[in-house]
Amino acid sequence: MTSYACAAPSSDAHGTHINYTTVSGYFLQDEPSTNASTFSFITTNFGLIDRKYATDSTYDPAGEKTQWQRFANQVFKLNRNSGRNVQYKLLYLGRHGEGYHNAAESYYGTPAWNCYYSELDGNGTVTWADAQLTPKGVAQALAVNAFWSSEIKDQKIPTPQNYYTSPLTRCLETANLTFSGLDLPSRHPFVPTVKELFREGISGHTCDRRRSKSYIQGAFPTYKIEAGFTETDHLWEAYHGETQVDQDIRSKAVLDDVFSHDDETYLSITSHSGEIASLLRDLLIMIGFRQSPLSIASATERSGTGASGDPAASRAWEWMHDFRSQANTATTVTHSSSLETLLSLPVMAVVHALDDYYLAITLLITIGYQLFFFSIAFSLKFDKLTDFAGGTNFVWLAIITLAFSGHHHARQIVCSIFIMLWGARLSAFLLFRIIKTGKDDRFDDKRDKFWSFLGFWVFQMIWVWTVSLPVTILNSPNVTKFNQPAFGTGRDIAGVILFAIGFILESVSDVQKYRFRSDPANKGKVCDIGFFTWTRHPNYFGEIIIQFAIFMIAVSPSAYGYVTGQAFNAQYAAILGAFFLTLLLMFVSGLTLQERPGAKKRYESGNHWESFSRYTKRTSILIPFPPQLYKPLPTFIKRTVFLEFPIYVFDPAKHADQSKVREREGEEGNNQGRQNE
C-alpha cells in the first residue's frame, strides 16, 4: 500500500507536486524475511499479512470478518483520518501473460532476437509486432481470473474501483481475460481506461509499437481511451529507444496524472514487466509489493531493464521467474501446438485484399467466375455447367481465402476443407446427373431469354457468396489477427459430428434417389427407400445441417472470447449464410418447387397418386422422423414442429386443374373400353 501527499493541489497534474511514501506492515511482499523464490501470492491471500488492526475492536468485535474486509476498513479509517492533501491507495499492478514476442524470443534466443528478429513484424506464421497473447498467456490470465473470483467470493477482497491498462494488445487482452465475468459491484464495473504512458519501455523492437486507436476501439469497444490519444503511435520509432531514466520520468508523469484525477482507493493497472519496475522505482518501494497476476519465462525478460543493476528490477525478474513455475503447475493449457511446430509451417504472408474481411474480393471473384460460365451456357445453350459452376465456386473461395490469410490454424483448415468437400461433391454429383439426363428442365423457359437466364446466375452468385461467409470471415485478417482457441473445443467436436451426419445424409440420399429413378421398373413410382423412408427430402436436411455445422466450428474463436470487437460481430453475422441456404431450400428453390407442384402433377396425370398421398401422410417433409410415429401426429404438430407449412400442402379441390383431370379420366375410360373390346 502507498500513500501520497499533494502540495498545492490543482486539476492540472503538472501544477501539482506529489510526494509518494510507502506504508509497510500490511503485505508479506514488503517484509525482508519473505523469500521471493518460494513466495506464492495465490497461497498467501495476495500476500496480505494475517494480523489485527487497531480498528478491529469496533469494526469486528466478534471476529467474523475476513482479513481483507478488516484491511479495507483499516484503509477507510486511514483515509478518513488523514490530512486534507493525503490519501492512501492500494494498487493492483498486473503484468500481461505470455505474448508471441516472448515465445519468439525464447525460440530464437535472446541474442538473435535482439539483433534481428525483434525488428521484424513476424515471420510469416506468427506476428509479434504489438503481440497478442499466446494460448499459454490466455490460460495464465484465465487462471488469475479464477483466483480473483475465489477471492471475491470467499475473502470479500475489495475489487478495483477503476481500471487502467497499457495500450499494447497483450495488456488489453490480459485485462479483459483477468477481470471479465467477475462478480463486480455495479458502481465499479470493468471499464478500463487505456493510457498511452503505461506502455512498456520503448525500444526499436516492433513488439513495443502499438496499433492504431481505431483498432483498439474496434477490438475493445467497451474500453475508454484517454483524451489526446493519437490515432497512430507517435512515440515509437524504429532503431530508437528510451533510456531507463526517460522511462522513469514517463512513469512518474502517468502516475501523477492518475493520482491527481482519480480519487478512488483501489486501482488496477495492467502493464509490462519493465514498466511495472519503473513505476515501483518511482514509488520507492520494493518490487515484492507488486500484485502481479501473470508471468512468463525468464527468456522474455528485457535485457535493458533486468541487467540495469537496479535492486528493484533484479528482484522483479526473480519474482516473475518464480511465479512462472507456479502458473505452469496450476494451469492446464489445452493447446498441443508448440511454437516450433508453428514456425515450421510453410505459409505465406497475410494478403490484405480490398477489405480485411475478404468480403469484396470474394464477391468480385464470385461475380467473375459465374459470369464466365454464364457466357458459355447462354451462348452454347449448354446446361451442363450451371450447377458445376456453383459448387466449384465454393471450393475456390475457400482455397483463396485460406491461402490469403497467412495463418493456418487447424480450425481454418477444417472449415475450409469441409466447405470444399461439400462444394466438390455437390458439383460432381450434379454434373454427373446432368450428363446422364442431357438437360435441366429448370431452364426450359429461360434458356433463350438473356435477362431471365442471367437472373438465375445472379441469384447463384448471391447464394455462393452468402453461404461462404462463415469460412470467408474465419480466414480473414480481421479474425486471424486474434489468438485462436486450440481445435477440439466442445463446439468443434459437435460441429464435426453434425457435418459428418449432414454430409452422409445428403450424399447417400442423392445416390439412393438417383439409383431408384435409374431403374426402369421404378418409373413414376414414389422413392420411399433408404433415408427417404424417414423424410421426403433428406438431401435438403443434410445440406442445412452441413452449413450450421461449419458455422458452429468457424465461430468458436468468438464464442470462447478470443475474438472481440467488430470481428466478433462479423463472425456471428456470418450465420446469415446458413439461414440464407435454409430459407432458399424451404421457400425459394427447394420445397416450394418440389412439394405442391409435384403433387399437382401426379394428381392431374394420375401418376401413382394414391401411393404418393399415403407416402406424404406418413413421412416428414424435412426433419427425419420414424414414419410409424409421424403418421398419427395431429396436423397442427406437422404444420408447426415438423415445418410442413400450408404452402407445401396440395389440396386437389383448390389446386388441381380439373379439366386436365377430366381429360385424363376420359382417356383412361376410352383405353379401358378399347381393352374390353
Side-chain angles (χ1 to χ4, degrees):
M1 186 169 65
T2 186
S3 68
Y4 74 98
C6 294
S10 166
S11 60
D12 181 2
H14 296 290
T16 302
H17 173 71
I18 299 179
N19 179 47
Y20 299 100
T21 58
T22 302
V23 184
S24 60
Y26 290 95
F27 289 92
L28 292 172
Q29 295 95 314
D30 291 329
E31 299 300 304
S33 59
T34 298
N35 185 350
S37 64
T38 59
F39 178 80
S40 167
F41 75 84
I42 291 179
T43 60
T44 58
N45 201 17
F46 263 126
L48 184 63
I49 296 175
D50 186 8
R51 51 160 287 189
K52 294 185 180 299
Y53 309 117
T55 55
D56 288 351
S57 58
T58 55
Y59 174 70
D60 186 29
E64 297 175 344
K65 304 294 185 181
T66 69
Q67 185 67 47
W68 272 107
Q69 287 176 306
R70 292 188 289 110
F71 170 76
N73 181 66
Q74 171 74 357
V75 175
F76 170 76
K77 292 297 179 65
L78 287 172
N79 275 322
R80 190 179 68 175
N81 298 327
S82 64
R84 188 171 70 90
N85 294 327
V86 176
Q87 186 178 3
Y88 294 83
K89 291 183 182 290
L90 180 68
L91 304 181
Y92 296 106
L93 302 180
R95 183 184 185 254
H96 65 80
E98 181 186 69
Y100 278 101
H101 65 307
N102 303 133
E105 180 177 356
S106 178
Y107 177 75
Y108 289 116
T110 299
W113 170 258
N114 286 333
C115 293
Y116 177 69
Y117 290 101
S118 64
E119 297 172 0
L120 306 178
D121 285 351
N123 63 358
T125 300
V126 295
T127 299
W128 51 70
D130 192 6
Q132 295 176 292
L133 296 180
T134 66
K136 177 181 176 182
V138 170
Q140 290 171 331
L142 293 176
V144 177
N145 175 277
F147 177 63
W148 262 106
S149 181
S150 66
E151 287 288 288
I152 294 170
K153 178 182 178 182
D154 301 331
Q155 298 297 325
K156 307 298 188 293
I157 186 174
T159 56
Q161 295 164 306
N162 278 324
Y163 300 82
Y164 298 93
T165 178
S166 158
L168 297 178
T169 301
R170 50 195 181 273
C171 287
L172 301 172
E173 292 179 338
T174 296
N176 183 55
L177 293 169
T178 300
F179 294 106
S180 291
L182 296 178
D183 185 16
L184 302 174
S186 58
R187 65 186 182 279
H188 296 300
F190 171 63
V191 183
T193 298
V194 180
K195 294 192 73 67
E196 185 81 85
L197 299 186
F198 274 137
R199 63 195 294 167
E200 180 60 294
I202 302 170
S203 72
H205 297 185
T206 59
C207 60
D208 296 332
R209 183 188 68 214
R210 71 163 170 85
R211 305 189 194 202
S212 68
K213 178 180 179 180
S214 298
Y215 164 80
I216 297 174
Q217 290 173 323
F220 304 92
T222 61
Y223 287 21
K224 295 187 297 184
I225 299 180
E226 66 177 342
F229 195 89
T230 58
E231 172 63 21
T232 58
D233 191 346
H234 67 291
L235 296 179
W236 186 88
E237 185 178 354
Y239 311 116
H240 291 77
E242 64 182 349
T243 66
Q244 179 177 296
V245 172
D246 293 332
Q247 183 178 5
D248 290 351
I249 293 173
R250 167 168 65 84
S251 301
K252 178 65 163 55
V254 71
L255 268 181
D256 288 353
D257 180 37
V258 169
F259 277 54
S260 297
H261 296 93
D262 194 327
D263 293 330
E264 300 293 358
T265 301
Y266 302 97
L267 306 179
S268 166
I269 300 173
T270 304
S271 190
H272 311 260
S273 59
E275 176 59 14
I276 289 173
S278 177
L279 292 171
L280 295 171
R281 287 193 297 269
D282 287 328
L283 291 171
L284 300 177
I285 61 176
M286 295 186 68
I287 189 67
F289 173 75
R290 175 171 65 94
Q291 306 303 310
S292 172
L294 298 170
S295 64
I296 58 170
S298 58
T300 66
E301 296 155 7
R302 299 180 63 84
S303 58
T305 308
S308 66
D310 185 345
S314 299
R315 192 175 178 196
W317 307 136
E318 183 179 7
W319 177 279
M320 288 166 49
H321 183 78
D322 169 61
F323 182 73
R324 182 269 310 268
S325 301
Q326 299 167 21
N328 286 344
T329 57
T331 304
T332 301
V333 182
T334 56
H335 185 75
S336 58
S337 299
S338 65
L339 182 64
E340 288 82 353
T341 303
L342 292 173
L343 290 170
S344 65
L345 289 174
V347 297
M348 59 187 291
V350 177
V351 176
H352 298 271
L354 299 182
D355 67 86
D356 281 347
Y357 288 112
Y358 289 157
L359 300 179
I361 188 64
T362 53
L363 180 60
L364 292 176
I365 291 171
T366 300
I367 292 173
Y369 194 73
Q370 295 302 313
L371 287 179
F372 171 75
F373 282 102
F374 163 75
S375 63
I376 298 174
F378 182 75
S379 301
L380 303 180
K381 305 298 183 285
F382 193 61
D383 294 346
K384 295 180 176 59
L385 294 178
T386 307
D387 291 318
F388 175 81
T392 54
N393 202 155
F394 288 102
V395 177
W396 283 114
L397 292 187
I399 292 174
I400 291 170
T401 56
L402 182 64
F404 279 8
S405 73
H407 299 270
H408 298 141
H409 300 294
R411 186 170 293 99
Q412 290 177 267
I413 296 172
V414 168
C415 287
S416 298
I417 289 177
F418 277 2
I419 201 166
M420 284 190 280
L421 280 175
W422 171 71
R425 189 215 67 84
L426 182 65
S427 60
F429 172 75
L430 295 178
L431 178 63
F432 170 79
R433 190 178 67 178
I434 194 66
I435 290 174
K436 291 293 185 180
T437 58
K439 70 183 186 71
D440 194 329
D441 294 339
R442 294 176 298 173
F443 305 122
D444 287 346
D445 61 341
K446 299 181 179 69
R447 195 176 294 108
D448 297 321
K449 301 174 182 177
F450 179 87
W451 294 111
S452 296
F453 197 40
L454 178 62
F456 171 85
W457 286 83
V458 170
F459 196 83
Q460 182 157 276
M461 296 173 194
I462 299 172
W463 170 61
V464 171
W465 184 80
T466 305
V467 174
S468 294
L469 282 176
V471 174
T472 298
I473 293 175
L474 175 66
N475 288 340
S476 70
N478 274 349
V479 172
T480 58
K481 69 184 179 183
F482 291 95
N483 292 324
Q484 304 285 318
F487 186 80
T489 66
R491 297 178 67 90
D492 295 331
I493 295 171
V496 170
I497 293 173
L498 284 176
F499 177 85
I501 293 172
F503 192 79
I504 292 171
L505 197 60
E506 183 185 19
S507 56
V508 172
S509 61
D510 277 343
V511 174
Q512 288 174 339
K513 192 169 188 177
Y514 176 79
R515 294 182 64 181
F516 180 87
R517 289 184 171 178
S518 297
D519 187 346
N522 295 326
K523 185 177 181 180
K525 291 183 179 180
V526 178
C527 180
D528 58 357
I529 63 170
F531 290 138
F532 291 89
T533 304
W534 285 44
T535 167
R536 277 132 62 187
H537 301 281
N539 50 343
Y540 291 169
F541 186 74
E543 193 167 349
I544 291 171
I545 287 179
I546 285 173
Q547 299 309 323
F548 278 100
I550 292 174
F551 170 78
M552 180 180 291
I553 300 171
V555 81
S556 287
S558 289
Y560 288 97
Y562 284 72
V563 174
T564 59
Q566 293 302 318
F568 174 95
N569 297 333
Q571 281 217 288
Y572 272 101
I575 199 173
L576 172 67
F579 276 119
F580 180 81
L581 181 132
T582 302
L583 295 174
L584 184 67
L585 292 177
M586 292 187 65
F587 302 109
V588 182
S589 65
L591 299 182
T592 51
L593 298 182
Q594 296 287 327
E595 284 296 311
R596 183 182 291 177
K600 181 176 183 292
K601 186 176 181 180
R602 281 184 179 275
Y603 179 79
E604 292 174 349
S605 64
N607 184 9
H608 297 275
W609 166 250
E610 294 299 329
S611 61
F612 179 79
S613 180
R614 290 192 298 270
Y615 174 67
T616 57
K617 291 176 181 177
R618 70 173 184 266
T619 310
S620 169
I621 188 174
L622 185 64
I623 302 171
F625 201 71
Q628 300 87 346
L629 300 179
Y630 183 81
K631 183 178 180 180
L633 288 176
T635 301
F636 173 76
I637 299 298
K638 293 181 179 180
R639 296 289 188 271
T640 55
V641 176
F642 287 92
L643 309 179
E644 191 165 354
F645 302 134
I647 59 173
Y648 306 134
V649 179
F650 171 72
D651 183 346
K654 295 180 179 179
H655 307 125
D657 186 340
Q658 298 300 328
S659 63
K660 291 184 178 180
V661 175
R662 289 191 294 269
E663 181 180 348
R664 185 258 303 168
E665 291 175 344
E667 291 179 357
E668 289 177 350
N670 293 334
N671 292 336
Q672 185 66 37
R674 283 194 294 269
Q675 290 177 2
N676 292 335
E677 293 176 359

